[in-house]
Amino acid sequence: MTERARKISASIIFMLGFTQFYSFLSAAYGYFASEEGYDFIWNYWVIGLFMLLLVGAGFLLLKSHPTRIPALIVLLGFVVFQGLSTYFYQIKPLSELKQKMPFNYTNLILTVLAFVLFVVLLFIRMSDSTSSVLPSEAWKTKWRISGAITALLAVGLAIWALIIIVMEYSSPAKNNPFLFSNDFDAVFAGVSIILLILAAIWTFRKGSYLLAGIVLGIGFIYLTNYFWFDEWMRYAAKNGLKFGNGENRLFGINLLIALFATLSGVFQLVGKKRT
């Protein structure tokens, strides 16, 4: 169980790293695509650095002779960075407003998740060896097949979401583009499609802790984006405002992508072959 827990922890670290890839990619895309002097501020570089550090720490946990010290250091730094960012960029500004506004829980969830993982790695008993006699793992085949199928279902939904966004922003007849979705969401949908297809193909063979973590990251991002949209919809309904303009269907699709991607990541972890 210790070896298994260690490798699943590595997948969660890959998931955290992928969320930072999403944030860094969003910032980089905004910088190069914007025509209005988009500022690439210092914390974007920190996000990019944590993306690399988290991925590196995850690979060190997967080695035959693993080391958890780098993962512990990186996770602790990540907790501090995300915690301070949440306070100074969300909690403090919102507390100064007279009216209660929607709160984006993404960074807070990342902070808590990273802290829990830090505690788990701190107290887990490490093992760098595996038994020379491995039990039959035929039962894992159905889990890998389930992981591949759910990944492909997420692919189909991501293609659907991509088509909706492209049609919305390419049609000259539409004067009101989506309020919460933009052309970067189409870029991320395309990236997700490619990664989910790779994960599905590799899962049919033996699975990958890296790809499982990435798929879980895709699910996490779509899920938290849906919650952010839902927060604004509730705020709009409470204050007599109208938001969305047809985005409800798109975010319904995003919720399904989150569901199937998360299930796929879990199935991949359960069905991952030892060799």
Side-chain angles (χ1 to χ4, degrees), residues 40-73:
F40 200 89
I41 58 179
W42 68 270
N43 58 325
Y44 293 148
W45 293 111
V46 179
I47 289 172
L49 177 62
F50 271 114
M51 172 189 71
L52 297 176
L53 291 175
L54 286 165
V55 172
F59 277 119
L60 289 176
L61 278 179
L62 292 179
K63 290 177 59 179
S64 56
H65 299 283
T67 174
R68 60 182 165 184
I69 300 300
L72 289 171
I73 295 174

Side-chain angles (χ1 to χ4, degrees), residues 26 29 165 169 178-187 247 250:
S26 174
Y29 181 83
I165 297 173
Y169 280 90
F178 291 142
L179 184 62
F180 295 92
S181 306
N182 52 46
D183 49 354
F184 174 73
D185 292 290
V187 173
E247 280 186 283
L250 178 60

Side-chain angles (χ1 to χ4, degrees), residues 85-104:
S85 297
T86 302
Y87 176 75
F88 284 109
Y89 292 107
Q90 290 185 259
I91 296 176
K92 186 177 180 181
L94 289 177
S95 65
E96 295 173 352
L97 297 176
K98 295 181 180 180
Q99 184 178 8
K100 185 178 180 181
M101 299 292 291
F103 183 83
N104 191 339

Side-chain angles (χ1 to χ4, degrees), residues 12 27 68 79 86 94 98 127-128 159-161 200 220 227 232:
I12 304 301
R68 60 182 165 184
V79 168
T86 302
L94 289 177
K98 295 181 180 180
S127 172
D128 60 357
I159 292 173
W160 188 8
F220 178 87
F227 285 149
W232 274 103

Side-chain angles (χ1 to χ4, degrees), residues 105-120:
Y105 290 92
T106 302
N107 289 339
L108 182 60
I109 295 173
L110 287 174
T111 304
V112 173
L113 183 59
F115 179 74
V116 171
L117 188 58
F118 171 83
V119 173
V120 169

Side-chain angles (χ1 to χ4, degrees), residues 225-242:
N225 285 347
Y226 172 82
F227 285 149
W228 178 232
F229 175 78
D230 185 65
E231 282 285 308
W232 274 103
M233 290 301 99
R234 292 176 184 274
Y235 174 81
K238 185 177 179 180
N239 293 275
L241 302 174
K242 289 186 177 180

Side-chain angles (χ1 to χ4, degrees), residues 201-262:
I201 293 173
W202 197 254
T203 300
F204 270 121
R205 294 187 58 189
K206 62 178 183 179
S208 163
Y209 287 107
L210 171 62
L211 288 175
I214 290 176
V215 171
L216 287 172
I218 292 173
F220 178 87
I221 290 166
Y222 274 107
L223 184 62
T224 52
N225 285 347
Y226 172 82
F227 285 149
W228 178 232
F229 175 78
D230 185 65
E231 282 285 308
W232 274 103
M233 290 301 99
R234 292 176 184 274
Y235 174 81
K238 185 177 179 180
N239 293 275
L241 302 174
K242 289 186 177 180
F243 288 148
N245 298 327
E247 280 186 283
N248 293 11
R249 180 179 65 165
L250 178 60
F251 274 88
I253 297 171
N254 289 348
L255 180 60
L256 291 175
I257 295 173
L259 172 64
F260 286 119
T262 301

